Amino acid sequence: MKPKISIIIPVYNVQDYLDECLGSLVCQTFKDFEIVLVNDGSTDNTLSHIQSFAKNDHRAIVINQSNQGVSAARNAALSIAKKEYILCLDGDDPGVQATLKIGEEFGGRDHSTVINACEKVEKLLKTDPNFKQAIDDIKILLK
């Protein structure tokens, strides 16, 4: 069965931020996704970090390439993603715990509505420490 969501994460020298980004994905209540991590020629320990993560999470796929830039890294991930939907993150993105659940809950709506909802979640999570209130705000926006 195809994963509903392919999460594409190009990474370049972000070893210090990966734990928070990947940890927020592991903590998702929605589990039907794959993670495509593209190491774009990192010179720190980013590659070994994502390889270790992939050994412990069957949903993770690692691509290693020479430094070609973020667009080439995303395109490499898109070429192998088994997607119905795509979510692009950066390796230093924290706190995406609500994003996939919101996408699942409102996936039947037009894509721009779901994207706007996810962007709203990310903004609210950064500014509003009350997670439940952030989710309630999103549900009101989508009515």
Side-chain angles (χ1 to χ4, degrees):
M1 182 170 143
K2 283 185 355 180
K4 275 192 161 187
I5 301 172
S6 291
I7 302 169
I8 294 175
I9 308 176
V11 294
Y12 177 77
N13 291 346
V14 291
Q15 70 181 20
D16 295 338
Y17 306 99
L18 281 170
D19 285 340
E20 188 173 359
C21 177
L22 297 175
S24 71
L25 294 175
V26 170
C27 292
Q28 293 285 329
T29 57
F30 178 77
K31 302 289 186 191
D32 190 12
F33 62 90
E34 69 178 355
I35 306 165
V36 184
L37 295 152
V38 183
N39 180 56
D40 192 36
S42 295
T43 57
D44 63 1
N45 289 320
T46 295
L47 177 59
S48 62
H49 197 93
I50 63 174
Q51 287 172 329
S52 176
F53 176 80
K55 285 181 185 176
N56 294 309
D57 193 319
H58 71 280
R59 298 169 297 181
I61 302 164
V62 174
I63 299 173
N64 187 34
Q65 67 182 32
S66 62
N67 185 259
Q68 300 173 46
V70 68
S71 295
R74 283 195 180 114
N75 287 337
L78 283 169
S79 72
I80 67 155
K82 302 175 197 103
K83 73 270 179 207
E84 185 174 341
Y85 300 101
I86 297 289
L87 174 64
C88 291
L89 300 175
D90 292 320
D92 59 354
D93 283 344
V96 295
Q97 287 136 337
T99 304
L100 296 184
K101 188 64 179 169
I102 292 292
E104 175 197 26
E105 195 166 324
F106 299 104
R109 297 175 185 246
D110 72 80
H111 295 286
S112 63
T113 301
V114 175
I115 290 168
N116 289 337
C118 291
E119 288 172 354
K120 180 73 172 168
V121 166
E122 289 176 14
K123 286 178 187 173
L124 287 169
L125 286 173
K126 290 176 184 173
T127 60
D128 185 348
N130 186 340
F131 178 77
K132 184 175 180 334
Q133 183 62 48
I135 298 302
D136 290 344
D137 289 347
I138 296 301
K139 288 180 180 179
I140 290 167
L141 283 173
L142 291 173
K143 286 186 178 181

